[in-house]
Amino acid sequence: MKFNNLLPIYFSKSLLKNLLFCLFAVSCFIFLIDLIELSRRITKSNNSDFLLALELTILKLPGMIIEILPFIVLFASLSTFFYFAKRSELIVARASGFSIWHLLFPGISIILLIGFFITVIIQPFVATSTYKYKELEAKSIRGQASLITITENGLWLKESDTKSNSYRIINSLGLAKDAKNLENVIIFNHLDSGQLISRYDADNALLRLGYWELKDIWVYKNNEKPKFFKKLEIETDLTPSQIQENFAPPETISFWNLPDFIRIAENAGFAATKHKTEFQSLLALPFFLSSMLIIAAPFSVRFIRSESVNNLILSGIISGLILYTFSNVIFAFGASGNIAPFLSAWSPPLLAILLGISAIIYIEEG
């Protein structure tokens, strides 16, 4: 093997080792914090089931790791550069004619491969775990028993009625943006045992405070003739905000299913801006992770064995924090529809890469 290939491979191995170590350390820290917090919330809800808190923590952990993965890459990159500087390996490498680019290219390649692997392989499992967490957390802590899904056949909503030991399944072909008005509604009323009690077919269902207001309804019951009602009211605990909040959060949908879900949601009358932004963010994730390595590089070019190393590391962490905060703010603007989803997802990593490369060129050549 040629000598000029040894150092990049050595750097890549060190980066990967530090990345795994940071991932493990941060995962343990998050796990303990979430376990304590969820145990406290469960206790406040008059429940002291430690196994429930443990299950919720395990289900929530993958989503939290994906959320802070850019910071893990940043810490791993800075620790790798610091390790090289502490042992004077970076100085020796530069004195031997190696530039920072010889180290960055293999490192960026590894981060890109990891990012693509997470997006196309790991994220679908994380989405399933996050969905199960949100479902279990809503039932066991917040006491929300309603479930909302959407398919080619429209919106499906399951709502429990604890007073009559029954539940209803509501199907609608359209929903207003304010989540108050359903169109072409079919309501199936079931006992908890699963037995069908009745079926309502309505042209329109309006969600009022504490009840559904149905208009032009046909009511079908077992062994009875269908009856027509001009207006009918059904009690409910749902609110428009609950429907919008519980409607398939984008982080609970697989990367591969997001395009079809966006199309179906828009056909049903939902504004799928959050889901479009999430999809673009997943596409940009590998480049966003790589931008963290590139951001860390300028602060390492002049690492020397002195007290200034700590200041450079602190500057790198602050820069990564600013970039991470900026990306979250831009994502919020994209999810709210104030910025195009593509621009919201791709502007932070592209801006970070351009600024990082510019800083490296300036320092390396200057």
Side-chain angles (χ1 to χ4, degrees):
M1 183 179 293
K2 294 182 179 180
F3 175 75
N4 58 358
N5 291 330
L6 289 177
L7 187 61
I9 293 176
Y10 176 58
F11 175 80
S12 301
K13 289 182 178 179
S14 299
L15 177 63
L16 188 59
K17 182 179 67 175
N18 288 326
L19 185 61
L20 293 175
F21 175 78
C22 291
L23 178 63
F24 176 77
V26 172
S27 299
C28 291
F29 179 75
I30 293 175
F31 181 84
L32 291 175
I33 296 298
D34 276 341
L35 183 61
I36 295 172
E37 174 62 19
L38 288 170
S39 298
R40 183 190 65 81
R41 291 181 59 193
I42 291 174
T43 303
K44 287 183 64 176
S45 62
N46 299 323
N47 194 344
S48 58
D49 191 352
F50 176 77
L51 292 179
L52 176 60
L54 185 62
E55 182 181 2
L56 286 170
T57 304
I58 293 174
L59 291 174
K60 185 181 179 182
L61 182 61
M64 292 296 297
I65 293 175
I66 294 292
E67 180 70 21
I68 65 169
L69 191 58
F71 257 124
I72 296 176
V73 174
L74 176 66
F75 291 145
S77 302
L78 288 172
S79 61
T80 302
F81 285 124
F82 176 76
Y83 177 78
F84 269 54
K86 185 178 181 181
R87 298 182 57 177
S88 300
E89 292 173 332
L90 191 61
I91 298 175
V92 172
R94 298 192 69 214
S96 301
F98 285 91
S99 70
I100 193 67
W101 303 107
H102 289 92
L103 303 179
L104 281 180
F105 284 143
I108 291 174
S109 300
I110 290 176
I111 298 299
L112 282 174
L113 288 175
I114 293 174
F116 283 119
F117 180 77
I118 290 174
T119 297
V120 302
I121 303 296
I122 301 299
Q123 191 275 338
F125 295 100
V126 175
T128 302
S129 175
T130 304
Y131 176 81
K132 291 181 179 179
Y133 162 75
K134 289 183 176 291
E135 183 181 24
L136 183 59
E137 187 263 348
K139 290 181 179 179
S140 58
I141 298 181
R142 290 187 284 126
Q144 295 182 3
S146 59
L147 299 175
I148 302 172
T149 57
I150 190 168
T151 67
E152 292 280 3
N153 297 321
L155 173 75
W156 292 88
L157 187 152
K158 182 180 178 182
E159 182 183 7
S160 298
D161 188 350
T162 56
K163 295 180 181 179
S164 59
N165 295 323
S166 62
Y167 65 90
R168 66 179 65 97
I169 297 177
I170 303 175
N171 172 240
S172 172
L173 297 181
L175 176 68
K177 291 184 178 180
D178 58 3
K180 292 182 179 181
N181 191 24
L182 301 179
E183 299 176 356
N184 298 323
V185 181
I186 302 177
I187 301 178
F188 301 92
N189 298 302
H190 295 260
L191 294 174
D192 284 342
S193 61
Q195 181 183 354
L196 180 64
I197 305 173
S198 60
R199 166 179 164 174
Y200 298 167
D201 289 14
D203 291 341
N204 181 274
L206 186 61
L207 182 56
R208 301 287 190 181
L209 183 60
Y211 65 93
W212 287 102
E213 181 182 294
L214 306 180
K215 296 181 179 179
D216 299 329
I217 319 105
W218 284 96
V219 178
Y220 300 87
K221 293 185 178 180
N222 295 334
N223 301 322
E224 294 184 12
K225 292 183 178 180
K227 296 182 179 179
F228 178 80
F229 296 89
K230 193 67 178 176
K231 185 177 179 181
L232 196 64
E233 295 179 358
I234 301 177
E235 291 186 4
T236 183
D237 295 326
L238 281 176
T239 63
S241 61
Q242 286 179 341
I243 292 180
Q244 292 177 331
E245 290 174 2
N246 291 283
F247 167 66
E251 64 270 16
T252 64
I253 303 175
S254 167
F255 168 78
W256 300 103
N257 295 333
L258 270 173
D260 288 338
F261 183 90
I262 292 170
R263 176 179 55 83
I264 294 171
E266 289 181 334
N267 291 337
F270 281 94
T273 309
K274 289 184 179 180
H275 301 79
K276 290 179 181 178
T277 307
E278 178 71 14
F279 181 69
Q280 293 295 332
S281 297
L282 289 174
L283 290 176
L285 178 62
F287 302 95
F288 188 47
L289 297 180
S290 300
S291 70
M292 287 296 181
L293 175 60
I294 296 175
I295 282 293
F299 300 96
S300 66
V301 173
R302 294 185 177 178
F303 271 178
I304 56 174
R305 298 184 65 180
S306 67
E307 295 180 357
S308 64
V309 173
N310 296 328
N311 295 330
L312 289 170
I313 292 176
L314 180 61
S315 300
I317 293 175
I318 293 175
S319 299
L321 178 61
I322 293 174
L323 173 61
Y324 183 77
T325 304
F326 173 72
S327 66
N328 285 338
V329 171
I330 294 297
F331 181 89
F333 277 108
S336 62
N338 294 319
I339 299 178
F342 180 85
L343 182 62
S344 172
W346 287 93
S347 56
L350 292 179
L351 180 62
I353 290 172
L354 292 176
L355 290 177
I357 291 176
S358 300
I360 294 172
I361 293 174
Y362 175 79
I363 296 174
E364 188 77 357
E365 301 296 333

